[in-house]
């Protein structure tokens, strides 16, 4: 594995049940503390790529390494927020209870959470600005607050890599902006990979854009243009350059 890389895929091909490949001959390297956005059309292989990194799927060909070991071995050091994750609103659980779920892989199978578990959970809530609501019922939170708590749950496992599959899909634009600003603050201490449909919106926060449509092409954010987006989504898109110099 290359020096300082957290994720590395070499000549990876994957298909479901012998059908046409969803991903084909993929080479990808994600550096330590990078903030990466994965984009591409529906069915292009974005979620499949994340599942390969998590070790939930195994490639038909090629090699996947995470933290220089096989992904299934690295999984305890990887935080994950699944697409459209929901908890039963009738389940009587507090914000702190939800975050403590992220410690399940770090504690013994039996017995209550220890002092160290609660300290890590409290710090995770503080990191996402939700500590003051730790005793609030999770079901009473807004969409943006819920996502922050779920991020805190992922942080509670003390990950070196955080994967998020379309974490802002159902949030208002203003809440999305706050959410990505929060992630941007985190990437100085861990590696972040997020899937998004809106590369223009997240381009002012991420460093690297991974374009997935069976094959994978990697761009620096500064290289993203209307032409690149048209190639990704196979349709014309308008790019607007704001005063901050970023294209949207």
């Amino acid at each position: 594995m290359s020096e300082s890389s957290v994720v590395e895929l070499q000549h990876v091909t994957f298909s479901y049940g012998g059908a046409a490949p969803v991903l084909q001959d993929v080479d990808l390297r994600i550096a330590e503390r990078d903030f990466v956005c994965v984009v591409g059309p529906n069915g292009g292989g974005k979620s499949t790529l994340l599942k390969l990194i998590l070790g939930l799927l195994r490639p038909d060909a090629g090699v996947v390494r995470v933290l220089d070991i096989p992904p299934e071995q690295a999984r305890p050091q990887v935080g994950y927020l699944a697409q459209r994750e929901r908890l039963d609103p009738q389940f009587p659980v507090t914000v702190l209870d939800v975050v403590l779920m992220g410690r399940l892989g770090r504690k013994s199978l039996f017995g209550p959470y220890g002092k160290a578990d609660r300290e890590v959970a409290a710090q995770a809530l503080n990191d996402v600005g939700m500590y003051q609501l730790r005793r609030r019922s999770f079901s009473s939170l807004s969409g943006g607050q819920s996502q922050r708590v779920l991020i805190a749950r992922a942080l509670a496992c003390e990950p070196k890599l955080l994967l998020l599959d379309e974490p802002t899909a159902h949030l208002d634009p203003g809440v999305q902006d706050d959410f990505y600003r929060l992630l941007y603050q985190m990437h100085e201490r861990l590696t972040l990979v997020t899937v998004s449909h809106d590369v223009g919106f997240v381009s002012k926060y991420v460093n690297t854009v991974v374009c997935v449509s069976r094959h994978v092409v990697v761009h620096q954010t500064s290289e993203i243009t209307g032409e690149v987006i048209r190639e990704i989504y196979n349709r014309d898109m308008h790019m607007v350059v704001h005063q901050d110099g970023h294209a949207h």
Side-chain angles (χ1 to χ4, degrees):
M1 187 165 173
S2 301
E3 184 179 358
S4 298
S5 60
V6 174
V7 175
E8 194 159 341
L9 283 71
Q10 298 177 348
H11 303 296
V12 168
T13 294
F14 177 84
S15 61
Y16 290 98
V22 177
L23 295 171
Q24 185 168 6
D25 197 26
V26 170
D27 288 313
L28 174 64
R29 176 179 176 272
I30 297 175
E32 186 178 6
R33 297 183 183 176
D34 199 357
F35 189 179
V36 177
C37 180
V38 178
V39 300
N42 289 332
K46 301 186 298 297
S47 294
T48 299
L49 178 65
L50 261 60
K51 290 175 182 177
L52 286 165
I53 294 172
L54 282 163
L56 300 177
L57 299 174
R58 293 189 176 183
D60 300 329
V63 177
V64 181
R65 302 283 285 182
V66 178
L67 300 169
D68 208 24
I69 55 179
E72 57 271 21
Q73 295 179 23
R75 202 178 300 155
Q77 301 179 75
V78 179
Y80 178 53
L81 178 57
Q83 188 178 146
R84 291 183 290 275
E85 187 164 347
R86 292 289 182 269
L87 294 178
D88 184 349
Q90 301 303 315
F91 189 61
V93 63
T94 68
V95 164
L96 181 60
D97 291 334
V98 171
V99 178
L100 281 168
M101 293 175 188
R103 298 296 297 170
L104 290 174
R106 299 277 181 168
K107 66 185 285 293
S108 65
L109 293 177
F110 305 100
Y113 292 105
K115 180 181 178 182
D117 296 316
R118 293 185 176 278
E119 287 177 348
V120 171
Q123 182 59 54
L125 279 169
N126 190 61
D127 289 344
V128 301
M130 292 293 293
Y131 180 76
Q132 297 301 322
L133 300 183
R134 63 192 181 282
R135 294 188 179 89
R136 177 87 61 88
S137 168
F138 181 78
S139 62
S140 70
L141 301 181
S142 68
Q145 290 173 331
S146 297
Q147 287 298 78
R148 283 176 177 257
V149 172
L150 294 176
I151 290 291
R153 184 185 66 182
L155 292 175
C157 76
E158 299 177 286
K160 294 181 179 178
L161 171 66
L162 182 59
L163 306 176
L164 307 102
D165 196 352
E166 297 191 41
T168 62
H170 303 287
L171 302 181
D172 294 334
V175 178
Q176 290 184 41
D177 197 53
D178 290 341
F179 189 81
Y180 280 112
R181 192 179 299 113
L182 170 68
L183 294 180
Y184 182 79
Q185 294 169 355
M186 292 180 183
H187 94 277
E188 294 187 2
R189 58 187 174 91
L190 74 164
T191 306
L192 284 162
V193 179
T194 183
V195 172
S196 176
H197 279 291
D198 194 346
V199 63
F201 188 87
V202 301
S203 64
K204 61 182 176 179
Y205 297 109
V206 303
N207 303 323
T208 305
V209 177
V210 175
C211 306
V212 182
S213 184
R214 193 170 72 164
H215 300 284
V216 166
V217 179
V218 179
H219 297 276
Q220 296 304 302
T221 307
S222 59
E223 300 169 355
I224 298 298
T225 64
E227 179 65 27
V228 169
I229 292 183
R230 184 161 58 249
E231 291 177 1
I232 298 169
Y233 294 102
N234 197 30
R235 67 173 188 264
D236 288 332
M237 303 285 286
H238 295 288
M239 301 291 287
V240 179
V241 179
H242 290 267
Q243 291 180 353
D244 60 7
H246 295 286
H248 301 267

